[in-house]
Amino acid sequence: MTLFTVSVALDGDRHYDILIGSGLLAQAGERLKALGGNSVAIVTDSNVADHHLDTVVQSCKAAGLNGHSIVVPAGEKSKSFAHLEQLCADLLEARIERGDLIVALGGGVIGDLTGFAAAILRRGVRCVQMPTSLLAQVDSSVGGKTGINTAFGKNLIGAFHQPSLVLADTDSLDTLPSREFRAGYAEVAKYGLINDTAFFAWLEHNHGAVFAGGEERRQAVRTSCAAKAAIVMRDEKESGERALLNLGHTFGHALEASVWYDGGRLVHGEGVAIGICLAFRFSAALGLCAAGDAERVERHFKAVGLPTRIQDIPGEVSSPEQLLVLMAQDKKVTQGQFNFILAHGIGQSFIARDVAVSKVEEFLQQELQEAV
Amino acid sequence: MTLFTVSVALDGDRHYDILIGSGLLAQAGERLKALGGNSVAIVTDSNVADHHLDTVVQSCKAAGLNGHSIVVPAGEKSKSFAHLEQLCADLLEARIERGDLIVALGGGVIGDLTGFAAAILRRGVRCVQMPTSLLAQVDSSVGGKTGINTAFGKNLIGAFHQPSLVLADTDSLDTLPSREFRAGYAEVAKYGLINDTAFFAWLEHNHGAVFAGGEERRQAVRTSCAAKAAIVMRDEKESGERALLNLGHTFGHALEASVWYDGGRLVHGEGVAIGICLAFRFSAALGLCAAGDAERVERHFKAVGLPTRIQDIPGEVSSPEQLLVLMAQDKKVTQGQFNFILAHGIGQSFIARDVAVSKVEEFLQQELQEAV
């Protein structure tokens, strides 16, 4: 079975590996042991615990590590101050010290919450990400962004805290609900749309195999991790290019906020899928991108079963004004100007720093009128 | 009037100035303006607001800055998750963005809480420290340590977040309650005891003038800031030498915890004063330091009116066992070993990494028996 390694090298001699392959969770203990430290706190959620916690715990035990398990409730609501405080208390109770390791075993919520707790516990404890969802494997576990949500928006409180190791066990994707896998796929396609036309074309031909599992799936995860790592290495703290990774996210976050983060109506990857389609149609409306490219993006997302329009979200639709307010509170705003990721075409995304609010409003009105 | 500048140069081209002098708060606006950014959030507490908030607000207004004032309750209890969450919400409400500035105007509590909020708001916003207490001017505002307390101990949750500027207006020390000034003085004397015998001797002769105010006081603040900056520049994240700054703090934090952080019984600087005396007497008991040096330290602290013995704390005295448990939860513990700052003499402190728990217990028993 193939084992892929993507290395992330950062300034100040910081570097870590992302391992992608089958059966990695069963090797967790020996790989943690190799990093040093006596104690390991394994943080997971109630869903993931059923599938994978025992595998990791047994592996730690076999490696002679002193392991503690902490289970937090599943769901986006755990990315809150209240759960952060509880998790920090649990980690202190477990006497996790500066030289120890904190493991985030789960999807994006667990990775973001646990990574943030590791960043602030005793002013910084090492963290190992063991992403079990597609979204976490190709996006949130890589690059060091951690955080929680507030009433003002998603991820507005957080830290940059690079992991010491990422273990992406692709077997864990087999136990994912299909809706969750599909949502994560939006982030995979995103890498093609940002700057890799060939990868997008490959996905257009191979998405069936990627959804079915096996070598194509591992290949897609590897290509995605490598794409993200390359950008993070060039711009760790998002002073420039890293903002490209937010393609579809300004619209997407506003849509998530507009349904109060109700995962029954919209999960993050679905918001990103709609957001990416909106970003391409907005680019086309501004005359920056061929209308055919926007249609091609939408066609691919439809082919895999992802939503592509605001109207695809079940329930009441927000007004353009509401969405604008939510977008303005998003942290991709500098000095009151909209910071947007737009595209000149597939694989040709770019950062637009001075998008007029009136243009966005006009576009959203048009989008929502088409609903009627 | 003398204006002192201490420059702190850190790796990755990061550097900032600490300005020490008279009338600096009235110049706050122009100095903030020079850093760039449109909006400034000034965070202070209810006590400090009465004395200094208007000066800073007017100065910002005169400089054409968009200023927001946020007042948090005075006292150590504000270094909590609940107040951190509220402060973050207030900063988001004020629409503080990544390029803006957050000002911490106040003592150590305000500096630690505000600096931490700045570290995690939108994953990092610049912070300017305007310390108004002696403790904050000579210690907590310099070096980037920020954080809050938990039920498990002080400062166990936090971040390293270097300020972009420190303005230490020595006039603000005139409005300090004398007990608070005296407590801060323990941290001043600490710098002499760590590695500057001449400074300690200077303090023995000039402490009267330092307490009275004027040039000697500014000189003492400058020497203290320069001493701290020198250590922080060599070891920003406390992987080694920076631990020397914890002289007296392992005992001190345990004593503060033992009175449940009741400032009526013991404030931080008083805990440090007793802690430093204990560290010197413990060093003498272990045969590492001349008993005469420990006596000289105690004599000086008594001369300025600081407590020097556990029994000087009003109310019920903790048992050696209780203090040991509290010390073990302190973050200056590595792999279960006590990490202690001990001394070979005045100005000759060192990091002792393998102090046996039994030796500490024996020493504390002896200290507390002398009470009876």
Side-chain angles (χ1 to χ4, degrees), chain A residues 62-220:
Chain A
L65 290 163
N66 180 14
H68 307 266
S69 302
I70 299 171
V71 179
V72 309
E76 187 79 25
K77 287 205 170 66
S78 289
K79 281 178 64 174
S80 68
F81 263 106
H83 283 98
L84 177 70
E85 180 174 7
Q86 182 60 53
L87 176 53
C88 287
D90 290 344
L91 290 165
L92 289 168
E93 180 85 46
R95 296 191 173 274
I96 296 300
E97 297 175 3
R98 278 199 186 148
D100 294 330
L101 293 163
I102 298 174
V103 170
L105 174 69
V109 169
I110 285 297
D112 285 1
L113 172 69
T114 307
F116 187 34
I120 63 175
L121 188 82
R122 299 172 190 275
R123 296 199 188 93
V125 173
R126 290 178 300 165
C127 183
V128 171
Q129 295 280 351
M130 298 191 188
T132 59
S133 73
L134 181 59
L135 178 91
Q137 292 193 354
V138 302
D139 183 23
S140 55
S141 71
V142 176
K145 277 195 183 178
T146 68
I148 56 173
N149 303 327
T150 75
F152 295 89
K154 286 191 71 172
N155 300 320
L156 289 175
I157 303 295
F160 287 96
H161 188 59
Q162 298 292 341
S164 295
L165 175 69
V166 181
L167 294 186
D169 187 334
T170 47
D171 295 348
S172 66
L173 305 179
D174 297 337
T175 55
L176 277 191
S178 63
R179 183 180 173 200
E180 204 180 326
F181 184 88
R182 194 182 298 120
Y185 183 85
E187 301 277 6
V188 173
K190 186 186 75 175
Y191 295 109
L193 296 170
I194 288 175
N195 60 9
D196 190 345
T197 318
F199 181 50
F200 188 73
W202 183 87
L203 289 172
E204 287 179 311
H205 286 95
N206 295 285
H207 65 81
V210 171
F211 274 77
E215 209 51 35
E216 282 84 359
R217 178 187 282 181
R218 260 190 296 284
Q219 184 65 50

Side-chain angles (χ1 to χ4, degrees), chain A residues 38 81 85 88-89 92-93 95 97 120 122-123 145-146 150 152 156-158 329 331 333-336, chain B residues 38 81 85 89 92-93 95 97 120 122-123 145-146 150 152 156-158 329 331 333-336:
Chain A
N38 275 338
F81 263 106
E85 180 174 7
C88 287
L92 289 168
E93 180 85 46
R95 296 191 173 274
E97 297 175 3
I120 63 175
R122 299 172 190 275
R123 296 199 188 93
K145 277 195 183 178
T146 68
T150 75
F152 295 89
L156 289 175
I157 303 295
Q329 183 56 56
K331 70 189 169 310
V333 173
T334 308
Q335 311 271 349
Chain B
N38 275 338
F81 263 106
E85 181 174 7
L92 289 168
E93 181 84 46
R95 297 190 171 275
E97 297 174 3
I120 63 174
R122 300 172 189 275
R123 296 199 188 93
K145 277 195 184 179
T146 69
T150 76
F152 294 89
L156 289 175
I157 303 296
Q329 184 54 57
K331 71 188 169 309
V333 173
T334 308
Q335 311 270 351

Side-chain angles (χ1 to χ4, degrees), chain A residues 255-269:
Chain A
L255 294 171
E256 285 185 87
S258 78
V259 300
W260 300 95
Y261 304 105
D262 176 355
R265 294 177 65 191
L266 189 77
V267 296
H268 176 68

